[in-house]
């Protein structure tokens, strides 16, 4: 596995030129914040100066602002195996989790437990807990160990909230088998695709998924705090109620009626006025991702993960790293994680040398693999830098141990 | 009231040069979407190219992204008479209404009715109705006529959701007297400041307000779909629960705990990852507004409204316009509205001649008065254009009667 040969054979290589990539940095954190597509700044500048600055309120109709959540949603739908009219881009992922939970509860009446796994991405769990508290525990939020989640489904389980690719370990769940097993027990399933879309194939229709949510700022390269998205299978759209019933989810928002009447279709999952600038940046990232062949993306991601793991193996022996991701690349998303007791200062020392991964509490170093802009040569160089930092003990400095607000 | 003399004496006149104002347009819709500050595009370009493009994930700490909701919130706080640490900028206004409702219910236990007025801005009412449905009517959403809302407060009324400046008529409610009267009956008050902040003085602390929400894209000039904001009086912050308990509202988000622990202070009103690009655009608008003296803003707004009304008086007689705003400028926000059976095509005909107001169902022409960038000369010219459109019957054309998606 010579990195230079792998790069020479890389079919996705041309995509690298479509991104702004800072000099002197090997960026392995695209699973936290994706890099800037070169097309984004010009698009935003035009939107701000022309659509906003010159055409002002008229742009809601003329520049397509009013349809932006649906238009971007339809584009995302194609990346996650959904159909047109099943996805809208809007709100934060967290808010979309809440809407999906409420919608699933309304679509599965008579059951009142929402189930997830311990150690799921925190905001998913927190939104469950907030809903439980709001309803005076008429809705129960239940967490069990990840391996037992299907067995824990009982007659009261309305919905299971699961993540396709785990944020810390990168472990992949089988969406098809898991959805079928949960539905066989009478539960609906919400999939969190935050670490999936643009990273590994996801097939919501093929899995017969009920609802899904995801994040715009990771592998979709939509920019910091980009809008998230929400999927509702067409069969649920006319009955499910997302509870956050804002005016953009009304059947006729500009009638200014006193009574909420949900829009038909996916539009009822909209809430407030759409975040137009954020949606424009997200659309550029999504458009770029749609140009890539997802099979090639997955294939390169697996190859990068294998190169990383193979080169890390001696460091595991020499410096006590433990692979925190599944060893089988088929069970791993587009990241690779290692546990180490000194994970935090090691990550800081790597950043100081231009290798940007991130730390995830309590003890994980996490490296995102982004096939559109990461080269095999960078993967090899990143592991060389880890080796150097460890062999030199360069991480063991007080300034690397001060925790920042965001890790 | 010679417009030229009024313009010559206008102390706010220099602000006009700080905005991009399209040639040939008299823009009287800043209460729907504020104009573009000249400083916005450069700020966004730098954020995108440098903070995102070059510094990537490091900008969460180094560029102050993580504090943006609080920083912008503190700046908005000064415009609405709140204190530092009582406002955060985040989410849409609609989502913030939901959080404020849930927070108020949690801060006023034993009462379960949320009360508002018929004809309030629809999304406020719709969010109430969504919460009612979600809780299986354990929370009641009740609407009464605006004049009777205080009398309608009973022993079960937990919270009253009111708007300081009515979106359609511009009618101003007395925040001090209304808040005191509601609180005397045991209810809390949420103020919607969407048409207030940056337009008329608001004094949340002076009124002893409990909660408030508002919009970033109107008089704050934050751009299309800008983040909204939410205020919680300090006395409620340690007990009120906004229900949408996302990871950015957690006491220690980057501990990735399984249990939600609300952050102390206003931070618990945050939900998902903040929309960084939208917040940056909003911050420019807020910074610009903070340079203005709010007494001067109000004084110019009143003078513009009086000029408009005086010049419209003959048209009311001649063409059947009815003033839909209070006649007393002290009771009117920074807009003036007229009812007319042909309001929709008249608004379209005006837009075709470069005078941009908007239509509000069922029969209102609404003209926003934005002291920072509208001149008295424009007000006079706008009314002259209305006169011409009516005298010529220019509105009576089929193309002006086709309803657009957004009005």
């Amino acid at each position: 596995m010579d990195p230079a040969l792998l790069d020479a054979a890389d079919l996705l290589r041309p995509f690298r030129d479509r991104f702004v990539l800072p000099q002197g940095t090997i960026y392995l954190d695209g699973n936290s914040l994706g890099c800037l597509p070169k097309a984004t700044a010009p698009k935003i500048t035009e939107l701000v100066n022309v659509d906003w600055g010159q055409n002002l309120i008229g742009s809601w109709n003329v520049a397509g602002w009013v349809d932006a959540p649906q238009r971007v949603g339809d584009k995302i739908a194609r990346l996650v195996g959904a159909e047109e009219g099943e996805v809208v881009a809007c709100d934060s992922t967290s808010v979309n989790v809440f809407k999906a939970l409420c919608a699933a509860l309304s679509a599965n009446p008579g059951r009142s437990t929402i189930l997830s796994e311990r150690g799921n991405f925190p905001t998913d769990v927190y939104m469950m807990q907030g809903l439980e508290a709001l309803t005076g525990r008429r809705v129960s939020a239940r967490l069990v160990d990840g391996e037992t989640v299907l067995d824990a489904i009982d007659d009261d389980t309305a919905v299971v909230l699961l993540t396709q690719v785990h944020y810390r370990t990168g472990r992949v769940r089988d969406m098809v088998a898991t959805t079928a097993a949960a539905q066989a027990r009478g539960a609906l399933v919400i999939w969190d695709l935050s670490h999936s879309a643009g990273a590994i194939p996801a097939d919501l229709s093929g899995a017969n998924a009920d609802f899904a949510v995801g994040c715009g700022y990771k592998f979709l390269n939509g920019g910091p705090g980009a809008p998230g998205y929400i999927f509702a299978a067409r069969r649920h759209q006319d009955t499910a109620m997302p509870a956050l019933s804002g005016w953009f989810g009304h059947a006729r928002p500009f009638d200014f009626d006193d009574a909420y009447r949900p829009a038909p279709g996916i539009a009822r999952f909209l809430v407030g006025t759409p975040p137009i600038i954020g949606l424009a940046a997200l659309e550029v990232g999504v458009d770029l991702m749609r140009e890539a062949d997802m099979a090639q993306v997955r294939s390169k991601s697996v190859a990068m993960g294998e190169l990383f793991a193979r080169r890390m193996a001696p460091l595991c022996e020499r410096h006590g790293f433990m692979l925190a991701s599944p060893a089988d690349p088929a069970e791993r998303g587009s990241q690779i994680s290692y546990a180490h007791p000194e994970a935090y200062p090691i990550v800081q020392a790597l950043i100081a040398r231009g290798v940007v991964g991130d730390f995830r509490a309590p003890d994980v170093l996490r490296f995102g693999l982004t096939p559109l802009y990461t080269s095999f040569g960078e993967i090899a160089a990143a592991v060389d830098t880890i080796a150097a930092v460890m062999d030199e003990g360069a991480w063991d400095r007080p300034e690397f141990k001060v925790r920042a607000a965001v890790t």
Side-chain angles (χ1 to χ4, degrees), chain A residues 117-159:
Chain A
E117 64 170 304
R118 291 193 187 95
N120 197 353
F121 189 79
T123 213
D124 295 52
V125 173
Y126 300 162
M127 297 311 283
M128 291 169 56
Q129 294 167 348
L131 181 55
E132 178 183 66
L134 173 64
T135 59
R137 299 187 175 271
R138 287 186 327 123
V139 169
S140 301
R142 187 177 172 212
L143 295 180
V144 298
D145 287 340
E147 314 85 73
T148 66
V149 71
L150 288 174
D151 294 332
I153 296 173
D154 63 23
D155 288 351
D156 191 57
T157 308
V159 56

Side-chain angles (χ1 to χ4, degrees), chain A residues 79-82 164 175-176 179 191 193 200-209:
Chain A
L79 294 175
V80 295
Q164 188 188 10
M175 277 178 58
V176 173
T179 304
W191 286 103
L193 304 180
I200 71 166
D203 185 2
L204 290 169
S205 296
N208 193 40

Side-chain angles (χ1 to χ4, degrees), chain A residues 157-182:
Chain A
T157 308
V159 56
V160 190
L161 172 58
L162 294 171
T163 301
Q164 188 188 10
V165 176
H166 193 274
Y167 79 98
R168 189 194 279 123
T169 65
R171 186 206 59 216
V172 177
R173 276 193 186 273
D174 181 334
M175 277 178 58
V176 173
T178 307
T179 304

Side-chain angles (χ1 to χ4, degrees), chain A residues 16 53 185 239 334 337 379:
Chain A
R16 188 171 162 88
R185 292 166 198 211
T239 46
S334 207
S337 303
I379 297 290

Side-chain angles (χ1 to χ4, degrees), chain A residues 17 21-22 36 46 105 140 159 172 193 199-200 203 217 225 233 240 244 263 275 296 319 334 364 370 405:
Chain A
D17 288 335
L21 299 172
L36 170 65
E46 187 184 336
L105 284 161
S140 301
V159 56
V172 177
L193 304 180
I200 71 166
D203 185 2
Y217 54 78
L244 300 184
Q296 289 176 12
H319 292 294
S334 207
V364 165
T370 42

Side-chain angles (χ1 to χ4, degrees), chain A residues 293-364:
Chain A
D293 180 306
M294 193 52 66
Q296 289 176 12
V297 167
R298 177 60 176 160
S299 159
K300 180 175 173 184
S301 164
V302 165
M304 288 197 295
E306 286 301 277
L307 178 64
F308 199 111
R310 204 169 291 189
R311 294 199 162 219
M312 274 293 285
L315 297 178
C316 291
E317 290 209 4
R318 197 154 83 232
H319 292 294
F321 291 102
M322 297 272 291
L323 183 63
S325 299
D328 180 353
E331 296 173 10
R332 208 162 59 205
S334 207
Q335 69 180 71
I336 191 160
S337 303
Y338 290 87
H340 191 286
E342 300 295 345
Y344 189 81
I346 295 169
V347 166
Q348 307 316 309
L350 287 170
I351 292 172
R353 294 191 183 194
V355 175
V356 180
D358 61 23
F359 165 80
R360 281 296 171 261
D363 63 353
V364 165

Side-chain angles (χ1 to χ4, degrees), chain A residues 22 29 49 106 223 239 257 266 270 272 291-292 313 318 346 356:
Chain A
D29 214 358
N49 287 328
S106 71
T239 46
D257 273 346
I266 192 68
L270 297 178
E291 291 183 36
R318 197 154 83 232
I346 295 169
V356 180

